[in-house]
Amino acid sequence: MAAKELIATVTLGSSAASIDFTSIPGTYTDLMVVFSGRSSSTGSSAFFPAQLKFNGSTANYTQRRMYGTNGATGSANDSYGVESPESNATANTFSNVIIRIPNYAGSTQKSVTIDNVSANSSALALWQIAGGLWTQTAAITSFGLVGYSSTNLLAGTTASLYGFNKGSDGVTTVA
Amino acid sequence: MPSVKYTALANITLSTTASSVNFGSIPSTYRDLYLVMSGTVSGVGGLRFRVNSDSGASYAYVEMRGNKSGGTDAARSTYGTSQISVIATESSLNTGSRFETHLELLEYKATDKDKPFLSLTSYTDDAANTVIEQTGAKWGGASAITSLSVFMSSSTFAAGTTMCLYGVK
């Protein structure tokens, strides 16, 4: 059993409301999602959210995020999840995101960390970290990313779900 | 095609409270180390790291913290200190606080350079607010890292807290 295993990967061939990983086995220790996305939104903010969906719902999740973008830094409390370039941004630009969920199959609330970078062009980029909490105690059996406010994820958006298996090499000690 | 491979080295689920956990005899087989921690704590304190039992003024770190309560974000840099902090004491980690820490030790076996660390931590403080904290750090020792100690500045890790160490190459 490998320490890090690819469970599933999805690449959108056409625009879709969400990417969903379902029937996630409870046999791993932790989960990691690597996401590269682009939003159908055509606003002026350059980047647009995709929310995290746990067991089919975006409810019961909040986060604190800190961000830096051209000429500005800030922080906010919200449930936005991850940020990706909008459809009117520089062509072929996608976000670069890592989402980590340890002990996803346990019976406690689930902490989430997010590393998020998006570059709109050579003149506009966003860096963001977020700490979140899904307040339900059920095991996570499905996880998804869904365009915020009824927007879509565009073709070319990819997401890969990995499972980490704890173990021992028989040499390293722990006490 | 070359690919990054993770190997599980050691793991622990605390059956009772503990003020510290030590990973020892870490082999020099890998390029980097990756530690995942998840659990709760039993009182007030911050989360700290040391390597090779070095408690001298060998560490430096920069930490940045975003606190959900009132937007009290903060940043701090510390040089010539005896430990690495990935959750500041000021963040009020307290009884029942949940935390999740991802720590990367890059090129841990190198003997010709200081060792860089990068951590990302999500946790709840004593008011059940969510906090995000990121730390960039270094250990100024020239030796390969063969042990890693995780400890609370005060109080303890609660039973049920898990820690998993992986080698990466």
Side-chain angles (χ1 to χ4, degrees):
Chain A
M1 179 168 57
K4 181 182 179 184
E5 294 183 0
L6 176 65
I7 301 173
T9 187
V10 174
T11 299
L12 295 180
S14 60
S15 173
S18 67
I19 288 178
D20 296 279
F21 297 103
T22 60
S23 301
I24 300 173
T27 51
Y28 300 98
T29 307
D30 311 312
L31 295 180
M32 172 189 286
V33 176
V34 180
F35 175 76
S36 176
R38 189 175 172 94
S39 171
S40 66
S41 169
T42 56
S44 60
S45 58
F47 305 101
F48 206 74
Q51 290 182 285
L52 309 187
K53 190 162 63 170
F54 300 84
N55 292 358
S57 172
T58 59
N60 304 305
Y61 174 77
T62 57
Q63 64 184 28
R64 177 71 178 178
R65 60 188 175 95
M66 301 182 72
Y67 59 87
T69 186
N70 289 50
T73 58
S75 57
N77 305 323
D78 54 48
S79 61
Y80 284 169
V82 306
E83 301 269 351
S84 299
E86 295 183 297
S87 63
N88 52 350
T90 303
N92 301 317
T93 57
F94 288 76
S95 58
N96 183 340
V97 184
I98 295 178
I99 303 165
R100 300 183 175 101
I101 312 172
N103 288 333
Y104 70 102
S107 59
T108 59
Q109 296 180 351
K110 312 301 185 291
S111 295
V112 179
T113 58
I114 301 174
D115 254 310
N116 188 165
V117 174
S118 287
N120 190 344
S121 67
S122 61
L124 182 60
L126 170 73
W127 158 88
Q128 180 168 282
I129 56 172
L133 187 68
W134 185 56
T135 58
Q136 302 304 285
T137 57
I140 295 173
T141 58
S142 70
F143 180 81
L145 290 126
V146 55
Y148 181 70
S149 189
S150 301
T151 58
N152 285 339
L153 305 172
L154 295 182
T157 294
T158 66
S160 298
L161 176 67
Y162 296 87
F164 276 80
N165 295 298
K166 64 182 180 183
S168 173
D169 65 350
V171 173
T172 305
T173 62
V174 56
Chain B
M1 176 189 303
S3 61
V4 175
K5 181 179 178 182
Y6 286 73
T7 301
L9 301 183
N11 70 91
I12 188 169
T13 300
L14 296 178
S15 58
T16 184
T17 61
S19 59
S20 67
V21 172
N22 184 70
F23 293 88
S25 301
I26 299 172
S28 60
T29 315
Y30 308 95
R31 187 191 69 238
D32 310 315
L33 298 176
Y34 173 53
L35 176 68
V36 182
M37 303 171 53
S38 178
T40 56
V41 298
S42 302
V44 176
L47 181 58
R48 309 283 186 260
F49 287 92
R50 286 190 180 123
V51 296
N52 291 8
S53 301
D54 184 358
S55 59
S58 308
Y59 306 88
Y61 61 89
V62 177
E63 57 186 343
M64 181 173 62
R65 184 171 70 251
N67 190 323
K68 186 176 181 180
S69 173
T72 53
D73 303 335
R76 175 172 66 182
S77 59
T78 306
Y79 303 93
T81 185
S82 61
Q83 59 209 2
I84 294 171
S85 168
V86 300
I87 296 179
T89 306
E90 298 88 335
S91 301
S92 299
L93 198 64
N94 208 332
T95 302
S97 292
R98 292 203 53 79
F99 74 96
E100 165 201 341
T101 294
H102 303 268
L103 178 73
E104 297 174 87
L105 289 74
L106 308 178
E107 296 195 71
Y108 71 101
K109 65 181 181 182
T111 56
D112 60 349
K113 60 182 69 174
D114 295 345
K115 315 302 184 292
F117 296 70
L118 187 63
S119 76
L120 185 63
T121 300
S122 171
Y123 58 98
T124 54
D125 67 10
D126 56 356
N129 299 303
T130 300
V131 184
I132 183 69
E133 186 158 343
Q134 187 166 49
T135 300
K138 73 153 192 177
W139 175 57
S143 305
I145 291 174
T146 58
S147 70
L148 172 66
S149 296
V150 184
F151 59 98
M152 296 291 294
S153 60
S154 57
S155 83
T156 59
F157 300 111
T161 295
T162 63
M163 303 182 191
C164 305
L165 181 67
Y166 300 89
V168 185
K169 65 176 176 181

